[in-house]
Amino acid sequence: GWSYDAVPEIGPVPAPDLSRIDTMNPELDIRKAISNQSDLIAERNTKAKGMAAVNQRSRTVEESEALLKTNLQTLYQEVLQGKADYEAASSAYQGAQITMNGAELKRQIGKFGSLEYLSAKMAFQQQKMTYEQASLHLFDAINTYEWALEGLAEIQ
């Protein structure tokens, strides 16, 4: 945290690092997620009296590990979907940028009226917003997956 009189600098969210996706493998990463999950660690370390309690603890741990694996797979699928959305939005944004550059030139030479120019600018801004939303979603999905590996995934 900051002191009450601090002036934090809030900058833009960085672009998602696509190379981080290449290192993701939920089949291998599940071991790290399980070993870092505090609820599982606590459950494994719970003292059980009697065979029934030991069996119950074992079933609980197995169920929790299976739920965590499913959760990690879901998070990975969200990353892949976010990547596909990001790449599509990036291509569309680049196309919109080219169209906007053409509209700027047409406006400068007098071939575009104000209404046509503003329509082109609005379409460009909408595409830019879609691109930025896809970027934020992918950035969030990558971070959520990586936090799950550090033991912060919910077991549901």
Side-chain angles (χ1 to χ4, degrees):
W2 292 297
S3 64
Y4 73 94
D5 60 346
V7 182
E9 180 180 333
I10 300 174
V13 175
D17 183 1
L18 300 179
S19 66
R20 289 166 57 188
I21 297 170
D22 296 333
T23 65
M24 293 178 182
N25 183 343
E27 295 301 320
L28 298 175
D29 292 342
I30 188 63
R31 292 184 195 116
K32 181 177 181 184
I34 287 171
S35 68
N36 288 332
Q37 221 304 324
S38 60
D39 292 338
L40 280 172
I41 293 169
E43 186 64 36
R44 268 191 234 106
N45 294 331
T46 301
K47 300 288 185 202
K49 294 182 179 179
M51 192 54 138
V54 169
N55 289 338
Q56 176 61 33
R57 182 184 68 195
S58 179
R59 279 192 302 275
T60 301
V61 168
E62 286 176 16
E63 289 173 7
S64 295
E65 287 177 357
L67 288 171
L68 184 58
K69 184 174 183 178
T70 301
N71 190 13
L72 193 63
Q73 285 286 347
T74 301
L75 293 173
Y76 182 66
Q77 291 305 315
E78 288 177 15
V79 169
L80 295 180
Q81 182 62 50
K83 180 181 178 188
D85 293 347
Y86 173 76
E87 288 172 343
S90 178
S91 294
Y93 176 61
Q94 290 171 2
Q97 182 67 53
I98 292 168
T99 302
M100 189 63 207
N101 290 345
E104 291 279 349
L105 289 174
K106 286 181 179 180
R107 184 171 185 232
Q108 288 175 2
I109 62 173
K111 294 215 175 212
F112 246 21
S114 294
L115 182 59
E116 293 167 312
Y117 175 75
L118 290 175
S119 293
K121 188 165 182 126
M122 183 178 74
F124 170 74
Q125 290 297 334
Q126 287 173 333
Q127 196 56 55
K128 181 180 177 185
M129 179 185 66
T130 300
Y131 168 73
E132 289 173 352
Q133 286 175 334
S135 176
L136 287 172
H137 175 72
L138 178 56
F139 185 83
D140 182 52
I142 290 170
N143 283 339
T144 302
Y145 180 89
E146 290 179 344
W147 279 111
L149 298 183
E150 298 302 322
L152 297 176
E154 291 183 34
I155 300 176
Q156 301 174 354

